Amino acid sequence: MDDFYRENILDHYRHPRHKGHLEDPDIHYHDVNPFCGDEITIELKVKDGRIVGVAFDGSGCAISQASASMLTEEIVGMTLDEIRKLDKDYVTELLGIPIGPVRLKCALLPLKVLKAGVWGLEEWPE
Ligand code: FES
């Protein structure tokens, strides 16, 4: 079963969904993983408190970029309150494989950027 998830991660890394930029985004946030310098930018369009458009850009390892791609597939249609409640477990379930402590920072970078953009909360998700 792990193979399926590993393939899925590689597929998102090689063919990222929603990669690019939005015209005139309502929310735009960029941050780096201080441990390696890899980076993610997330842009959102918001209407009536709900995400109606998303794009990301970045460079980094397969886990960080795949995690960003997977998140962008999930969050369109969510409310900002729902985004604020997303946590570490949500991301690890999306990735579907056991993640060690070092790679966890990679996996959580996109969620950190997303939450910082939505909430101004700049902590690593618990
Ligand atoms: Fe930098 Fe993964 S090694 S985010």
Side-chain angles (χ1 to χ4, degrees):
M1 198 58 182
D2 266 16
D3 279 355
F4 167 78
Y5 288 107
R6 279 176 216 289
E7 273 306 311
N8 196 31
I9 287 168
L10 282 176
D11 183 56
H12 274 271
Y13 177 57
R14 290 180 186 137
H15 311 287
R17 319 321 190 242
H18 299 105
K19 187 147 188 195
H21 293 277
L22 297 178
E23 214 169 283
D24 202 16
D26 298 304
I27 292 174
H28 174 283
Y29 200 84
H30 166 266
D31 206 352
V32 300
N33 182 344
F35 298 96
C36 61
D38 290 347
E39 54 190 337
I40 294 280
T41 299
I42 289 186
E43 297 174 349
L44 302 169
K45 274 285 205 198
V46 182
K47 190 160 187 235
D48 300 328
R50 211 171 269 283
I51 307 291
V52 294
V54 58
F56 86 97
D57 198 9
S59 60
C61 66
I63 297 275
S64 67
Q65 304 304 302
S67 171
S69 173
M70 288 176 181
L71 261 185
T72 62
E73 281 204 311
E74 298 295 319
I75 63 172
V76 174
M78 282 189 186
T79 65
L80 295 181
D81 272 347
E82 286 169 329
I83 299 284
R84 289 179 184 116
K85 289 181 190 139
L86 297 181
D87 60 9
K88 162 183 121 211
D89 294 343
Y90 181 82
V91 173
T92 53
E93 272 168 35
L94 274 183
L95 289 165
I97 54 168
I99 307 268
V102 175
R103 304 302 277 167
L104 194 57
K105 290 274 192 224
C106 307
L108 293 180
L109 178 63
L111 181 60
K112 177 179 186 274
V113 171
L114 177 64
K115 292 183 84 158
V118 166
W119 209 350
L121 185 70
E122 297 188 31
E123 290 162 15
W124 291 92
E126 297 289 332

